[in-house]
Every structure is written in structure tokens, then in C-alpha cells.
Amino acid sequence: MADPSSEKPTTTQREKLEAKESAILAAAHREFAEMGFDGAKMAAIARRASVAEGTIYLYYRNKAELLERVVARFWSALTEGALAAIPEQSPAIEQLMALARYHLTEVVNDFDFIGFTSQVRQKKPRDDRSLDPIRRYVRVFDAIYRRGVDRGEFSANTECRHWRDLFYGQLEYAARTMVLRNSNDTDSVMAHLEHVLRAGLAQPRLADSPQQTHEEDLGQLLAAMKRDLERLEQAIQPKTST
Amino acid sequence: MADPSSEKPTTTQREKLEAKESAILAAAHREFAEMGFDGAKMAAIARRASVAEGTIYLYYRNKAELLERVVARFWSALTEGALAAIPEQSPAIEQLMALARYHLTEVVNDFDFIGFTSQVRQKKPRDDRSLDPIRRYVRVFDAIYRRGVDRGEFSANTECRHWRDLFYGQLEYAARTMVLRNSNDTDSVMAHLEHVLRAGLAQPRLADSPQQTHEEDLGQLLAAMKRDLERLEQAIQPKTST
Amino acid sequence: MADPSSEKPTTTQREKLEAKESAILAAAHREFAEMGFDGAKMAAIARRASVAEGTIYLYYRNKAELLERVVARFWSALTEGALAAIPEQSPAIEQLMALARYHLTEVVNDFDFIGFTSQVRQKKPRDDRSLDPIRRYVRVFDAIYRRGVDRGEFSANTECRHWRDLFYGQLEYAARTMVLRNSNDTDSVMAHLEHVLRAGLAQPRLADSPQQTHEEDLGQLLAAMKRDLERLEQAIQPKTST
Amino acid sequence: MADPSSEKPTTTQREKLEAKESAILAAAHREFAEMGFDGAKMAAIARRASVAEGTIYLYYRNKAELLERVVARFWSALTEGALAAIPEQSPAIEQLMALARYHLTEVVNDFDFIGFTSQVRQKKPRDDRSLDPIRRYVRVFDAIYRRGVDRGEFSANTECRHWRDLFYGQLEYAARTMVLRNSNDTDSVMAHLEHVLRAGLAQPRLADSPQQTHEEDLGQLLAAMKRDLERLEQAIQPKTST
DNA sequence: TATGAATGAGGGTTCATTCAT
DNA sequence: GATGAATGAACCCTCATTCAT
């Protein structure tokens, strides 16, 4: 009121409204995460947002729509965060690892909410637009994957869907394990995932990778294969000799 | 009481009771899977089981206990099925694949219930005995894994937890994808999983594997390595030539 | 069956039935006393009586009728006990005191049930025959009272109803106090009641009391009155002298 | 918020709320009195109060708390009424009679509720604070009694508890009789009670009564004693003459 | 006659949603 | 817009009563 910058009261108004809406969403997010959809009470959300119960209904038609918006906001933010966390020019494998680390951290931080999201997913009809933000997030992986294929880092395109399932599936289970045990071994999980990706997905053909060609990588791979071959031969010879 | 002919009716009696209990459990299973815990209505379960509402309470103290028993029964049956599906004398990798195929099939069949289970898992205190059947099922993987390590098929023991997360995580996500798209490409998923396991987990050193040395395995491995080597060379040559 | 005294199986049968009925009534009595009418559960009564739930309904149409019978049995037994406790040839005042002591003891012993009875009384229509046993018990007092009047021990007949209310009312409240405080001062209560009865009810005209004429009583009364009179005069004189 | 005219609507608001709460309490009072605790239905109370069922729970956590408040309100009002009905400067005996008349009237008016109260009392643990209003009411008698003793009107202090039991016990039974017979002889009951109190409790020694010495009292006492003496003499003479 | 499994009506309580202020 | 009191439908659970065995 006495604000000298009151030239733009509209902006102030709008900001107020947005702040209120944001408070409601944040409160709802926490309540949903802690209590699940049915366990969450509109009254509790209102209390957490320092808002009257009726006020919520000025912004959202009902509990389900509130949930929908919370979910959308969460996954959108997750997508933004992921995009920000990915080094733009790095090899795809490194981008994947960056995404993995980001994803694991976020999932562990908000594990209740994530689990709760999948609970929601099942109730929805197949073509519900409200799941779009989730799909958009998932596609972050797909983009990196395709880039990796395009760059010749990854072998086949046909398997994207499987690698995606493996990627998110492993991370979700790893997160669950970490949360349940109240431990944190992100690095160990990362190492394992990288091992798997490199062993099964990464293409050793690095020739035309436009940016960095790691000579060491090649050497390592060759050395490893030689060792394996030797073992193989040793495994065969005794047999044939006998 | 001392009537010798009372055995038969008693048996019939018992059978009836067990049939009724089984009907209730099955009805509850479906209702929980479709509606979630809070969404499930005791009246609906009773109707599905062709039983009066009050009857359920002759068998289970309350909704929570009913849930507990349903979950226990489901996971126990899953464990039995898994154990039966695993070929006893095969290499660990084959056992894992058998488990994977079995798991994927079951999860797809009962996807709602599985998802619902994990929703339940989070509400439970850490040491709830009611989760034991789930833990027992998970250990089926661990047993195979350890056998693989003991037999020299798999490399390190330290990573069991990660491989387990990867295994179940990928399968659950694959199942979700299949259910959501209403498609079925179990074989494709199996192939991918096997590829990953062989590439990242399987030990090529078969020499001292105490039990069976499958000649075919050897042949496959050799073929795979040759293909990889060729790729390697092709990757290197253009480079060196340049 | 192999009982050699099986000549009178009918008697044995009847005895068995009566024993069972008695067990049910006793069990119901305890359950009603402890839990009240609504709190009492037929299942609990059956358990206490070592009888199947359905069996109760072979003897009593429903819970209300069972209650009715329990109440009737209780008050009838109370009446018998009271009649037995009253010395037949003693002065009415002594008979009243005997009744009082008996009543107080029983009421304290079975306080829950008594209180529960009056709770029942209100639900009943005015002319319910099921209250007859209670009315019969109450009349024990009336009979003694009338005898006291007839014998010239008590003054007027018109006040019976009031003395009866005072008698039972005081005793019930005394019992309540004793039960609530978990104390027992029956003698003190008796002394007070006797004091009140003698002071307000008993006729000092003992002349024609057929049995015992307590000279001492007379002397005491006279002495007391003289003292009172003296006090009175002393109270008046100073006043008048002033 | 800072609207100065907001006071009036607030007051109206508050009044409305209090009216509603009062309506609920009154409705609950009637329902409890008529049906007992278990028999009372929240739906019926709501209907009687012209309020939705859920509304009751805005004011009281549950049925038990509603009962508690009803009981408290009733006994508090009873206490206020009693204190108002007692003439402050009169002799203790007259105060007791005023209390008795008030009590009897109220108990008859609300007999069901009173009986219902004692039914409740037994279910409560010994030290339940919710019974305090009842205790406070009972102490009204005690206060008068003690005053009577202090003023020299009543003889011993030790018997307060007995006189209290007699007082309330007789009145409750008298009320029950009146209610059951649908008659009203309050005066007769009063006369009897006064007779008993004067005969057993009142102290004729008025000499040192510090405050008021009522000439009429003296006259009455003298008259009574003379009558008693005459009776005494008549009782003795026939004897001595014989 | 005795049993006890089955029934299902009924009631206390919760909470999303509405609407008068 | 904002409030929060009011609403009432919905649901879990109890338990008196029945009836097939």
C-alpha cells in the first residue's frame, strides 16, 4: 500500500496470487508425499499453506486436479533440473551418467513422492494428458540415447526402450534400497551403472566421434580383450588336449 | 463327537472353510489391485467373494490384516512359482534368465497388484514382519547370484545388490511399458537383459567351473568375441590408416 | 449311558438342562453387571457359560428376555435372602436393621448389577410384569413396617412410602459411597440409620410391646429429654432476664 | 481484518456459534436422557438440534466427549440453581429444606437424565475429572451441613457423609416413586424429610447460637417437646400403675 | 438338543466440497 | 478474492440373531 513502487499494483497482485498458488502446491506436494493420495487431507494442505480450506478450491477444482498439478509441476521441475545437469558437449555416456546421478539424487530426496506418482499412474486412463510431464522427463533419456547413437557411441537404436527401462528401473530400485536402509552409496550405484552401460551399450568404435578420442579407452579395451582371449584359450586347451 | 463317521463331514467342513477363505483372499486381491488400499471397499470384496460383509471379519481382524494376508499369499506363491521355474542344474545365467522370464510374466499378469504392493511397502515400519514374504522372494535372485559366483560364472560378490536392483528394476519397468502399451515383447526384453548380464556380469573364465562345461557356451562366447574384435579392428584401422 | 443309575435318565436330563440354564443365567448376570446391557455381548455370555452362542437362544428369545430373567432371578434370590435374614420374633426396628444390614451387604457385593437394574427400570413400560420381583422385594420392607405399626412400635402408617424411600435411598447411596471409595464402614452406616429410625420413626410407647420391654430405653429417653429441657430453659432464661 | 465495523458481525457470529452449541447440548441432553448412552444416536441428536451430523464433530471430538460436556453443563446449572434457591441468612435446617425442595423438583423434571448420570458414573475411572461438576454439586449439601454445625444447629460433624447419603438417597427414591406413579406429593416428601432431619440431626441447644435466635423456633421446639413428654408419660403410667 | 459359522443392518466418524459472509 | 463453518455421503466394523448341520 505505502509501497512507492505501487505503480504496478497489478504485478504485486499477480505476484501475490502466484505466491499463494505456489504455497498451495508446495504444501500439497509434501502432504501427498507423506500421506499418499487418500491419506492426504485437504484441511492439512490448507493448514500447511497457511490458507483457508475453501481457498484451495479457488485454484483447483478438486483434490484430483490439485494432485495433477502437483505432479506436473514436480516432473517439469525435474526435467528442467535434468537438462541443466547434463553437460552439453560431453559424450553421451557421460551425459547419461550425469542424468543418472541427478535422477538418483532427486529420487532419493523425494522418494515418497516418486513412489506415490507411480501409484497415481495406474489409475489414469491410457491417454491422459496429465501424464505428459512424466513422458517429457522420460524423453530426456531418449534424447541422449539417440545422440549417442548418432555420434556412434552407442550401437543399436532398436534397444532404446530397453536401455531406458534398465536405466530408470535400476535407479529407482537403487533409490528404494538406499531409502529403506537409510544409507547412501550413490557412487557405488553410479559405478555399477556405468560399468553396465559401457559393457553393454557403448560402442568401442570411437573413430568418428567428433570431439574427444580417448586413446586410453582403446588401449584398455584391447588389453581387456586380450586377457579374456587368453583365459578362453586356456579354458579350451586343457579340454582339447584331454 | 465320538462319532467315527464325523471325519468326512469335518473334512468337508474344513474344505468349505478353506474354500471360503480362499475366495475372500482372491476377491481381496483383485479389489486391492484395482482400487488400491484406501480405494478398496470391504463391501466390494465381500460381494466379489459372494460372502456377507461380516463374514470377512471372521477370518481377518480388519482391512489391514486382510491386506497383509493377501500380500503374503501372493509373494509366497510367487516364490514357489519362481523356484519351480528355475532349472536346477543349469548355469546360473540360465537360471537368472528363467527367473527373469517367470518374473516378467507374473508381473505383467498382475501388474496392478505389484505396483500396489510397493505402495504398501512404504507405509510400513522398517521391521514389519509382514514384509517377510517379499524379502524371501527377493532372495531367490540372491541365491542364484551367489551360486553363479561360487561356480565361477560371475565375477565379484560385492555387486549383488546392484545386479539385483538392475534385474528387478529393469523387469518392472519393462512390465510397466508392456502393460501401458498393451503390447508383449517378452522375448525382446529377455534378449536385452541376457545381453546386459553376459556383458557385465558373466565371467568368461569357464576353465575351473566344477560342474558342467557346455561346449555350446564356449562356441557362443568365441563367436561373440570374434565379432567384437572385428568391430574393434574396423574402429582402429581407419584411424591408424589415417 | 453306562451309568447303572440310569433308571432316572429323565432326572439327569432335567438336571443337566437346569444346570445349563443356571450357568447361562450366572454368566449373563456377571456380564451384564460388568458391561451394562448394551455393553454385554451374547458371545461373551456364551463363552462364560461354556455354551455355544446359539444355545442361549434355545432358552431365551433374545437378549432382552435373558436380561429380564436374570433380573427376576436376582431379585427373587434377594427376597429369599432377606426373608431368611430377618429374625422373625424380634421388634420391627430390629427386623428393619437386619434387613438393612443384609441389603447393604448385598448391594455392595453386587453394586454394578444393582445400578444396572435401575438403568433397566426406566426403559420399561409402567406395567411391565418383569418388574414384579423387584416390587416383591421392596414389599419386604413394607411388611416389617406394617408389623411395626401394628405392634405399636412405629407411629403412623401414612408415612410408610417415605420411610421406605429413605431406607433404600440412604442404603443405596451409602453403598455407592463405599464402593467408590473402596472402603467398608457398614457398622457406621447401620448406626446412623438406626439413630434416624429410632429418632423419627420409633414410638416411645413401649408399654404393650409384647416381648422385651427395655427399661433402660425408657430411662435413657427420659434422661435425654431432661437434659434437653434444661438446655432449653437455660436458653430461654438469659433471654427473658435480659 | 482492520475493519472497525467487523465487531458487530463477529459478535453475531459468536452468538450464532454459541446458540448452535447450546442447541446441540440440549438435543444431546434429551437424547441421552431418553435413550441412554449406547441407545443415543448421533444422527438423532443432530436431527433434534437441526444440524448436520458432521457439525457435531466440529464442537466435540466424539460421542463420549459430548456426553461429558452435557453432564458437566447439567450439573453446573444444577449447582447454580441450588445456590440461588438457598436463602442465605436462614438457619441451616431451612437451607437444607430449600435445597431439598429444589433438588426434588429438578430431579423429577429430569429424572431420566439423573438416572442416566449415575449409570455413567460407574464406567468412569475413579479420578476422572469429568465427574468434578457432580462432586461440586454434592458439596452444596456439605457446605450447609458444616454451617449448621458451626452455628450449633446440628450436633456432630462426623456424620455428614451419612446425612448426605440419606438426604440425596431419600430424595432420589422419592423422585423415582413420584415419576413412576406419575404423581406429585413434593410437600409430603418435604414434611417427612424435615421431620427426620429435625428429629435426628437438629440440635435443640440454641443458647449460644451466635447469630439469630428465632423466637418462633423456640416456641416450636417447646411445643414439640411437650407433646413428646406427654406421650412419654402416657407410655409410662400404664406400666407403673400395673 | 447343540453348535458356531454366517448374516447384514446399523452407527460412529471422516473429510471433500460448498456457500454465506 | 478469501474464509471456515456446515454439510452429508460413504465406509469400516460390531454383534444380535439365524439356521444348516
Side-chain angles (χ1 to χ4, degrees):
Chain A
M1 286 194 192
D3 186 1
S5 72
S6 59
E7 302 163 11
K8 294 180 176 180
T10 319
T11 305
T12 307
Q13 276 305 81
R14 188 164 298 172
E15 279 171 359
K16 259 189 194 169
L17 286 196
E18 281 171 5
K20 192 162 286 192
E21 179 159 8
S22 194
I24 294 175
L25 285 176
H29 179 105
R30 294 201 307 277
E31 177 80 3
F32 282 137
E34 288 173 23
M35 319 296 284
F37 182 73
D38 294 285
K41 293 180 234 170
M42 296 300 276
I45 294 173
R47 211 178 315 118
R48 288 174 115 129
S50 304
V51 145
E53 271 183 81
T55 305
I56 299 181
Y57 289 86
L58 298 177
Y59 294 84
Y60 312 96
R61 218 191 320 279
N62 52 35
K63 199 181 178 184
E65 185 179 311
L66 173 57
L67 165 69
E68 197 172 290
R69 300 282 195 88
V70 169
V71 168
R73 194 173 89 136
F74 174 77
W75 288 99
S76 295
L78 209 60
T79 304
E80 306 315 322
L83 293 176
I86 296 172
E88 271 191 42
Q89 303 295 342
S90 307
I93 185 80
E94 286 179 17
Q95 291 184 322
L96 279 189
M97 292 318 298
L99 175 61
R101 183 173 295 271
Y102 173 77
H103 184 76
L104 184 59
T105 308
E106 294 302 310
V107 169
V108 166
N109 273 348
D110 231 333
F111 187 69
D112 291 338
F113 189 81
I114 301 267
F116 155 76
T117 289
S118 52
Q119 156 190 355
V120 169
R121 238 184 299 192
Q122 294 172 37
K123 305 266 174 75
K124 293 285 183 178
R126 209 68 56 216
D127 60 336
D128 193 312
R129 307 300 317 269
S130 70
L131 300 182
D132 282 353
I134 303 187
R135 297 198 184 100
R136 200 174 137 242
Y137 176 70
V138 170
R139 282 195 208 114
V140 172
F141 175 93
D142 296 17
I144 300 180
Y145 181 88
R146 227 165 299 133
R147 180 167 169 272
V149 172
D150 292 346
R151 286 165 47 106
E153 289 182 61
F154 301 157
S155 45
N157 192 343
T158 54
E159 312 287 359
C160 172
R161 160 180 161 349
H162 295 313
W163 284 110
R164 191 210 298 133
D165 289 341
L166 181 148
F167 184 83
Y168 287 120
Q170 154 153 60
L171 288 177
E172 186 170 316
Y173 267 65
R176 190 203 310 284
T177 306
M178 282 167 59
V179 168
L180 287 182
R181 303 197 179 167
N182 207 16
S183 68
N184 185 321
D185 55 351
T186 305
D187 290 334
S188 162
V189 171
M190 288 297 107
H192 184 260
L193 179 59
E194 184 160 12
H195 168 65
V196 169
L197 293 179
R198 286 199 188 274
L201 173 63
Q203 189 100 267
R205 186 191 341 129
L206 306 169
D208 38 19
S209 70
Q211 313 265 332
Q212 317 93 328
T213 337
H214 300 282
E215 297 285 312
E216 324 86 72
D217 282 7
L218 270 182
Q220 284 176 13
L221 267 169
L222 270 177
M225 295 215 91
K226 277 182 186 161
R227 261 180 281 120
D228 286 352
L229 269 179
E230 279 164 19
R231 282 209 213 104
L232 251 186
E233 286 166 18
Q234 287 170 1
I236 295 171
Q237 268 168 348
K239 197 124 202 221
T240 41
S241 70
T242 316
Chain B
M1 287 191 192
D3 185 0
S5 72
S6 65
E7 278 181 18
K8 229 191 263 169
T10 309
T11 305
T12 307
Q13 218 40 5
R14 188 163 298 170
E15 279 169 0
K16 258 191 193 168
L17 288 196
E18 281 171 5
K20 191 157 290 189
E21 178 159 7
S22 197
I24 294 175
L25 284 175
H29 179 106
R30 294 200 307 276
E31 177 80 5
F32 281 138
E34 288 174 22
M35 316 298 283
F37 182 73
D38 294 286
K41 292 178 244 174
M42 295 304 275
I45 295 174
R47 211 177 315 117
R48 289 174 113 125
S50 303
V51 144
E53 228 175 314
T55 305
I56 300 180
Y57 292 88
L58 295 178
Y59 295 84
Y60 311 96
R61 231 190 312 281
N62 51 38
K63 200 180 177 184
E65 186 180 310
L66 174 57
L67 164 70
E68 196 172 291
R69 299 283 196 89
V70 168
V71 168
R73 195 173 89 135
F74 174 77
W75 288 98
S76 294
L78 210 60
T79 304
E80 305 315 322
L83 294 177
I86 296 172
E88 270 192 42
Q89 302 295 342
S90 308
I93 185 80
E94 287 180 15
Q95 291 184 325
L96 279 190
M97 291 318 296
L99 175 61
R101 183 173 294 270
Y102 173 79
H103 185 77
L104 183 59
T105 308
E106 294 301 311
V107 169
V108 166
N109 273 347
D110 230 335
F111 187 69
D112 290 341
F113 189 81
I114 301 267
F116 156 73
T117 289
S118 51
Q119 156 192 355
V120 169
R121 233 184 306 189
Q122 291 172 39
K123 305 266 173 74
K124 293 282 186 179
R126 207 70 55 221
D127 60 336
D128 194 313
R129 306 302 317 267
S130 71
L131 300 182
D132 281 353
I134 303 188
R135 297 196 185 101
R136 203 175 135 240
Y137 178 69
V138 169
R139 282 192 208 115
V140 172
F141 175 93
D142 295 18
I144 299 179
Y145 181 88
R146 227 165 300 132
R147 180 166 169 272
V149 171
D150 291 345
R151 286 166 48 104
E153 289 182 61
F154 301 156
S155 44
N157 193 343
T158 53
E159 311 288 358
C160 173
R161 159 178 162 351
H162 294 313
W163 284 111
R164 191 209 299 135
D165 289 341
L166 181 150
F167 184 85
Y168 287 120
Q170 152 153 62
L171 289 176
E172 186 170 318
Y173 267 65
R176 189 202 312 280
T177 305
M178 283 167 59
V179 168
L180 286 181
R181 302 196 180 167
N182 207 17
S183 69
N184 185 321
D185 56 350
T186 305
D187 290 334
S188 161
V189 172
M190 287 297 108
H192 184 260
L193 178 58
E194 184 161 10
H195 169 65
V196 169
L197 292 180
R198 286 200 188 274
L201 173 62
Q203 189 103 266
R205 185 194 341 127
L206 307 169
D208 38 19
S209 71
Q211 314 261 335
Q212 318 93 325
T213 340
H214 298 283
E215 297 286 311
E216 323 87 72
D217 282 9
L218 273 180
Q220 286 176 13
L221 267 170
L222 270 176
M225 296 215 89
K226 278 181 185 161
R227 262 179 281 121
D228 287 353
L229 268 179
E230 280 163 19
R231 281 208 213 106
L232 250 186
E233 286 166 17
Q234 288 171 1
I236 294 172
Q237 268 166 350
K239 194 121 205 226
T240 40
S241 69
T242 314
Chain C
M1 286 194 190
D3 186 359
S5 72
S6 61
E7 302 163 11
K8 295 179 174 179
T10 320
T11 306
T12 307
Q13 278 304 79
R14 187 164 299 170
E15 279 170 0
K16 260 189 193 168
L17 286 195
E18 282 172 4
K20 190 162 286 191
E21 179 160 6
S22 194
I24 294 175
L25 285 175
H29 178 104
R30 295 201 306 276
E31 178 79 4
F32 281 137
E34 287 174 23
M35 318 296 284
F37 181 74
D38 293 285
K41 293 181 234 170
M42 296 300 275
I45 294 173
R47 209 179 315 118
R48 288 175 115 129
S50 304
V51 144
E53 272 183 77
T55 305
I56 298 181
Y57 289 86
L58 297 177
Y59 294 84
Y60 311 96
R61 220 191 318 280
N62 52 37
K63 199 180 177 183
E65 185 181 309
L66 173 58
L67 166 69
E68 196 172 291
R69 299 283 195 89
V70 168
V71 168
R73 196 174 88 136
F74 174 78
W75 288 99
S76 295
L78 209 60
T79 305
E80 305 316 320
L83 293 177
I86 296 173
E88 271 191 41
Q89 301 296 340
S90 309
I93 185 81
E94 288 180 15
Q95 292 185 323
L96 279 190
M97 292 318 296
L99 176 61
R101 183 173 294 271
Y102 173 78
H103 185 77
L104 184 59
T105 309
E106 294 302 310
V107 169
V108 166
N109 273 348
D110 230 333
F111 187 70
D112 290 338
F113 189 82
I114 301 266
F116 155 75
T117 289
S118 52
Q119 157 190 356
V120 170
R121 240 185 297 193
Q122 294 173 37
K123 305 267 172 75
K124 293 285 183 179
R126 211 65 59 214
D127 61 336
D128 192 313
R129 307 300 317 266
S130 72
L131 299 181
D132 282 353
I134 303 187
R135 297 198 184 99
R136 201 174 137 241
Y137 177 70
V138 169
R139 283 193 208 115
V140 172
F141 175 94
D142 296 17
I144 300 179
Y145 182 87
R146 227 164 300 132
R147 180 166 169 270
V149 171
D150 291 344
R151 284 166 49 103
E153 288 182 61
F154 300 157
S155 44
N157 191 344
T158 53
E159 312 287 358
C160 172
R161 160 181 162 348
H162 294 314
W163 284 110
R164 190 209 300 134
D165 288 342
L166 181 149
F167 185 83
Y168 288 120
Q170 152 151 62
L171 289 178
E172 186 170 317
Y173 268 64
R176 190 203 310 282
T177 306
M178 283 167 60
V179 168
L180 287 182
R181 303 196 179 169
N182 208 14
S183 70
N184 185 322
D185 55 349
T186 305
D187 291 334
S188 162
V189 172
M190 289 296 107
H192 184 260
L193 179 58
E194 185 162 9
H195 169 65
V196 169
L197 291 180
R198 285 200 188 275
L201 173 64
Q203 189 100 266
R205 185 189 344 125
L206 307 169
D208 38 20
S209 72
Q211 311 266 333
Q212 316 93 325
T213 338
H214 299 284
E215 296 286 312
E216 322 87 72
D217 280 8
L218 269 181
Q220 284 176 14
L221 266 170
L222 269 176
M225 296 216 90
K226 277 180 186 161
R227 261 179 282 121
D228 286 352
L229 269 179
E230 279 165 19
R231 284 208 211 104
L232 251 186
E233 287 166 17
Q234 287 170 1
I236 295 171
Q237 269 168 349
K239 197 121 203 225
T240 40
S241 70
T242 314
Chain D
M1 286 193 193
D3 185 1
S5 73
S6 65
E7 279 180 17
K8 229 193 262 168
T10 309
T11 306
T12 307
Q13 222 32 12
R14 187 163 299 172
E15 279 169 0
K16 257 191 192 170
L17 288 197
E18 280 171 6
K20 192 157 290 191
E21 178 159 8
S22 197
I24 294 175
L25 284 176
H29 179 107
R30 293 201 307 277
E31 177 79 3
F32 281 138
E34 287 174 24
M35 317 298 283
F37 182 73
D38 294 286
K41 291 179 246 174
M42 296 301 276
I45 294 174
R47 209 177 317 119
R48 289 175 114 127
S50 303
V51 144
E53 248 180 283
T55 305
I56 299 180
Y57 291 88
L58 295 178
Y59 295 84
Y60 311 96
R61 230 189 313 281
N62 50 38
K63 200 181 177 184
E65 186 179 309
L66 174 57
L67 165 69
E68 196 172 291
R69 298 283 196 88
V70 169
V71 168
R73 195 173 88 136
F74 174 78
W75 288 97
S76 295
L78 210 60
T79 305
E80 304 316 320
L83 293 177
I86 295 171
E88 270 192 43
Q89 302 294 343
S90 309
I93 186 79
E94 288 179 14
Q95 292 183 324
L96 278 191
M97 292 318 296
L99 176 60
R101 182 172 295 272
Y102 173 78
H103 184 76
L104 184 59
T105 308
E106 294 302 311
V107 170
V108 166
N109 272 348
D110 230 335
F111 188 68
D112 290 341
F113 190 82
I114 301 267
F116 156 74
T117 289
S118 51
Q119 156 193 355
V120 169
R121 233 186 303 192
Q122 292 172 39
K123 306 265 173 77
K124 293 281 185 178
R126 208 70 54 221
D127 60 336
D128 193 314
R129 306 301 316 266
S130 71
L131 300 182
D132 282 352
I134 303 188
R135 296 197 185 100
R136 201 175 137 240
Y137 177 69
V138 169
R139 282 193 209 116
V140 172
F141 175 94
D142 296 17
I144 300 180
Y145 182 89
R146 225 164 302 133
R147 180 167 170 270
V149 171
D150 291 345
R151 285 167 47 104
E153 289 183 60
F154 301 156
S155 44
N157 192 344
T158 54
E159 311 289 359
C160 172
R161 159 180 161 349
H162 294 312
W163 285 111
R164 190 209 300 134
D165 288 341
L166 181 149
F167 184 84
Y168 287 120
Q170 152 151 63
L171 289 177
E172 187 171 315
Y173 268 64
R176 190 203 310 283
T177 305
M178 283 167 59
V179 168
L180 286 182
R181 302 198 179 166
N182 208 14
S183 70
N184 185 321
D185 55 350
T186 305
D187 290 335
S188 161
V189 171
M190 288 297 107
H192 183 261
L193 178 59
E194 183 160 11
H195 169 65
V196 169
L197 292 180
R198 287 203 187 273
L201 174 63
Q203 187 103 266
R205 186 194 339 130
L206 307 169
D208 37 20
S209 73
Q211 314 263 333
Q212 320 91 327
T213 338
H214 298 282
E215 297 287 311
E216 324 87 73
D217 282 8
L218 271 181
Q220 284 177 13
L221 267 170
L222 268 176
M225 297 214 89
K226 276 183 185 158
R227 263 179 280 120
D228 286 352
L229 267 180
E230 279 165 19
R231 282 209 214 106
L232 249 187
E233 286 166 17
Q234 287 170 2
I236 295 171
Q237 269 167 349
K239 194 118 203 232
T240 40
S241 70
T242 314

